[in-house]
Amino acid sequence: MTASILAGKTYTIRTFGCQMNLHDSERVSGLLDSLGAYEAAGPADADIVIFMTCCVREAADTRLYGQVSSCKSLPDPPSGRRVIAVGGCIAQRDGEGLLKNLDNVDVIFGTHSIAHVGDLIAQVFEAGGHAVRTNEREETDATSMPWHRATTYHAWVPIMTGCNNFCSYCIVPYVRGREKSRQTNQILDEVTGLVRKGVREITLLGQNVNSYGRDLFGEPRFADLLREVGATGIERISFTSSHPKDLLPETIDAMAEIPAVMPHLHLAVQSGSSRVLKRMNRHYTREDYLSLIRAVRERIPDIALTTDIIVGFPGETEEDFEETLTLAREARFAQAFTFIYSKRAGTPAAKIDDPTPREHILDRFNRLVSVIEDTAYAFNQGASGSTMPVLIEGTSKKDAMKLMGKSPWNQTVLCPLPDGANPVEYIGKMVDIAIDTTKTFYLSGELVGGPR
Ligand code: SAM
Ligand code: SF4
Ligand code: F3S
C-alpha cells in the first residue's frame, strides 16, 4: 500500500539540531527513496515537507513554529495535496500536543519511530486526518534502514543512540531514551561497505561514544571499536561526543596509535567551576578535566581540542564564570560551541530560580567568545608554514573560485581553484595545501600537486 501511493511523490527535509538528526534525516530520505519518492528542490515543489526538530534550547523550538506555519502560504504542490510531517526531538517530546500550536501538521513521528514514517505519510495521503507515532519501544531501529547520504566522501555512522547521563540542564535523555549500542559487527559491516563505495571519512556518532558497549558487554568497549574500525581501511575517523567522565586511558592510546583517527577531540567541559559542574551533574571537577587533557596532550601533542560551554547556568556567579575563562585559556581550545543556558521544562535545572540579570549573562557570553577567539587563533597560527592533507568538500560560500575542505585537525582550509579547473574534479578528493595565512576561523594556502 505504502509503496504505491508514495511512488512519484516529491519530498523535502529541513533538519534542525545535532548530527543525530542529520543522520536520522538521511535514513528518512533513504526510506522515501526506496518507496519511489524523490527529493524536491524545496518546500514549494514538495508533496511532502518534513521537519526534523530539535528542542535542546528554546531558540530551536521557536524557529520550528515559524517555519511550519509559513508552509500555509506555499502554492499547491505537483500532486495537489501537501503533507507536513514533524519528526525528531520536539515530536517525541510533544506528540499529539504539537497540533495545539501547529494546526497544519499532518504527521508526527518520534525519534524511535523513523522506520514508520512511510506508512504514516501514506495513511494521510489515503485517508486524510492525522497520523501520530511516538512509541518509545520499536522493533525496527533507524540504523537498519536504507540510507541516502548527503555526500559521497563522508558518512555519519551511529554507534549508539540515547543517553544515560541526565546532565541537569539537558532534555536529550528524555527525548532520545536510554543508551543503546549497535552490535559491533553491524557497525563494521557498514564501515566496510562505505569503504568499498569510496567513502574517505566517517564520523562515529553517539551522545557519549565513550560508553559504547556498556549495555552489550557490561563495560565500555570504545577503544576496541576504534581499533576494529581503524582496520577496515577507512582513511579518516572522527567521533563525537565524548563525555570527560568516561574517556578512558585505553581510548587515548587507541587514538594515538591508529593512523586513521584524526588528531581532533571534542570534549564538552560545560563549565570551568567544580561547583557548577556538580550542580550540572557532570561527575568530574575542573581539576579532573584539566588533568585529562594533559594526559591526552602527552600522547597526542598536536591534538585539536574542542568543547561545548554553557554560560549562565542557574546560580553561576561571577567567580564561577571566571573559572570558566581561566580553564578555556589553560585548555587552549581550538574551537568551542558556546551557549547561553536555556531553561528546558522537565529537567532538574528548570526548577532552580536564578536572579542573575540577563545583561550580566550576555556580558559573560561575549567575554567567553573573545577568549575562545584568542585560543582558536593561537591554535590556527601553529599551522603557518606547514603543508597538510585536506579533504575537499566544495567551494567557499563567499568565493566560488576557492576550494574549501577540512584538515586532519578539523580546521576549514581554503585554496584558489587552479585556472580552468572544475571544482567537481576536487570534491571528495584529498589535496595537499601549503598554509600561508592563518585566521581565527580558517586557514588558507596554495595547492601542492593534484587531487588524489
Ligand atoms: N552529549 C553531548 C555531550 O555531552 O558532549 C552533547 C549533546 S547536546 C546536544 C550539545 C550541547 O548543547 C551540550 O554539550 C550543551 O553544551 C548544550 N546544551 C544542552 N542543553 C542545554 C541547555 N538547556 N541550555 C544551553 N545549552 C544546552
Ligand atoms: Fe545531554 Fe549530558 Fe547526555 Fe550530553 S551527556 S546529551 S549534555 S545529558
Ligand atoms: Fe537537538 Fe535532539 Fe540533537 S534535542 S541537539 S536534535 S538529540
Side-chain angles (χ1 to χ4, degrees):
M1 156 191 109
T2 307
S4 58
I5 195 144
L6 295 189
K9 296 260 193 296
T10 53
Y11 70 88
T12 188
I13 307 181
R14 175 89 174 84
T15 308
F16 301 82
C18 66
Q19 296 93 340
M20 294 289 168
N21 256 12
L22 281 175
H23 180 70
D24 283 352
S25 292
E26 293 180 331
R27 299 282 180 177
V28 169
S29 185
L31 179 70
L32 295 180
D33 292 352
S34 75
L35 297 174
Y38 58 95
E39 211 168 349
D45 309 306
D47 300 313
I48 305 162
V49 179
I50 301 177
F51 293 91
M52 291 295 277
T53 61
C54 171
C55 52
V56 79
R57 284 169 290 276
E58 194 176 356
D61 257 72
T62 319
R63 257 204 318 262
L64 172 77
Y65 293 138
Q67 294 210 5
V68 172
S69 299
S70 73
C71 287
K72 288 182 188 172
S73 52
L74 291 175
D76 281 343
S79 71
R81 161 87 163 99
R82 177 175 289 114
V83 167
I84 309 275
V86 177
C89 296
I90 296 185
Q92 186 66 39
R93 184 193 63 187
D94 294 351
E96 211 161 350
L98 256 183
L99 298 170
K100 267 191 240 136
N101 294 320
L102 293 170
D103 58 6
N104 60 329
V105 170
D106 304 291
V107 172
I108 296 169
F109 60 102
T111 53
H112 310 276
S113 308
I114 286 176
H116 300 279
V117 70
D119 292 329
L120 297 168
I121 294 171
Q123 185 186 320
V124 170
F125 272 120
E126 278 183 346
H130 296 112
V132 179
R133 185 161 178 142
T134 55
N135 300 357
E136 290 198 0
R137 286 187 213 293
E138 295 278 10
E139 268 152 37
T140 322
D141 63 36
T143 51
S144 57
M145 288 165 53
W147 185 3
H148 172 136
R149 278 185 292 110
T151 73
T152 53
Y153 52 86
H154 172 268
W156 306 108
V157 176
I159 62 167
M160 57 195 299
T161 52
C163 179
N164 291 355
N165 291 313
F166 289 93
C167 301
S168 64
Y169 48 81
C170 185
I171 194 80
V172 170
Y174 304 89
V175 288
R176 290 275 169 175
R178 295 297 71 71
E179 281 175 5
K180 190 167 170 234
S181 302
R182 279 178 89 184
Q183 295 292 338
T184 309
N185 285 349
Q186 211 192 6
I187 298 169
L188 295 176
D189 286 350
E190 191 160 278
V191 176
T192 307
L194 291 167
V195 173
R196 275 199 211 106
K197 286 187 189 124
V199 169
R200 317 282 298 255
E201 176 174 348
I202 55 163
T203 307
L204 303 176
L205 282 185
Q207 293 298 350
N208 177 13
V209 292
N210 300 115
S211 61
Y212 170 76
R214 205 188 325 247
D215 53 326
L216 298 178
F217 313 109
E219 57 183 37
R221 292 265 178 97
F222 184 57
D224 295 346
L225 180 71
L226 268 184
R227 290 188 191 277
E228 289 178 270
V229 171
T232 58
I234 189 79
E235 226 171 314
R236 283 185 169 192
I237 304 169
S238 54
F239 53 88
T240 194
S241 282
S242 284
H243 194 304
K245 77 176 165 57
D246 294 317
L247 178 61
L248 299 172
E250 54 260 40
T251 302
I252 302 173
D253 288 342
M255 288 181 69
E257 289 161 18
I258 303 164
V261 174
M262 296 293 97
H264 167 224
L265 178 65
H266 186 75
L267 195 63
V269 66
Q270 312 297 359
S271 168
S273 153
S274 297
R275 196 185 73 90
V276 173
L277 288 169
K278 189 162 191 349
R279 299 171 78 225
M280 287 177 159
N281 196 31
R282 292 288 290 179
H283 297 280
Y284 56 86
T285 62
R286 168 195 178 88
E287 291 70 33
D288 294 336
Y289 187 89
L290 288 170
S291 69
L292 185 58
I293 62 175
R294 270 194 296 276
V296 173
R297 286 205 160 106
E298 256 165 43
R299 292 292 272 127
I300 314 164
D302 65 341
I303 192 86
L305 190 68
T306 61
T307 201
D308 293 351
I309 303 176
I310 296 178
V311 176
F313 182 79
E316 178 190 77
T317 63
E318 181 57 27
E319 292 70 41
D320 291 322
F321 174 68
E322 276 166 18
E323 289 199 83
T324 297
L325 289 184
T326 56
L327 181 137
R329 283 200 195 91
E330 202 173 329
R332 294 177 273 133
F333 290 123
Q335 267 311 332
F337 295 105
T338 48
F339 306 107
I340 291 181
Y341 169 76
S342 173
K343 189 191 247 191
R344 301 286 68 201
T347 61
K351 297 195 194 87
I352 315 173
D353 282 330
D354 188 18
T356 315
R358 180 90 185 154
E359 60 270 25
H360 287 192
I361 292 175
L362 286 174
D363 175 61
R364 285 179 198 165
F365 182 79
N366 292 333
R367 283 153 65 203
L368 175 62
V369 168
S370 145
V371 168
I372 298 295
E373 283 176 2
D374 289 348
T375 60
Y377 180 63
F379 182 82
N380 280 351
Q381 265 186 320
S384 186
S386 66
T387 297
M388 54 174 69
V390 175
L391 180 58
I392 298 295
E393 298 182 344
T395 53
S396 156
K397 283 199 184 94
K398 289 193 187 138
D399 181 351
M401 298 311 287
K402 284 201 170 126
L403 293 170
M404 189 205 67
K406 281 274 153 53
S407 80
W409 299 271
N410 206 35
Q411 295 146 302
T412 297
V413 188
L414 303 174
C415 71
L417 181 67
D419 283 344
N422 183 339
V424 174
E425 294 160 28
Y426 288 87
I427 294 174
K429 301 274 167 53
M430 208 67 83
V431 296
D432 288 326
I433 298 183
I435 304 300
D436 53 32
T437 309
T438 58
K439 301 278 188 192
T440 306
F441 297 109
Y442 68 93
L443 308 173
S444 64
E446 294 297 325
L447 267 182
V448 182
R452 54 178 189 277

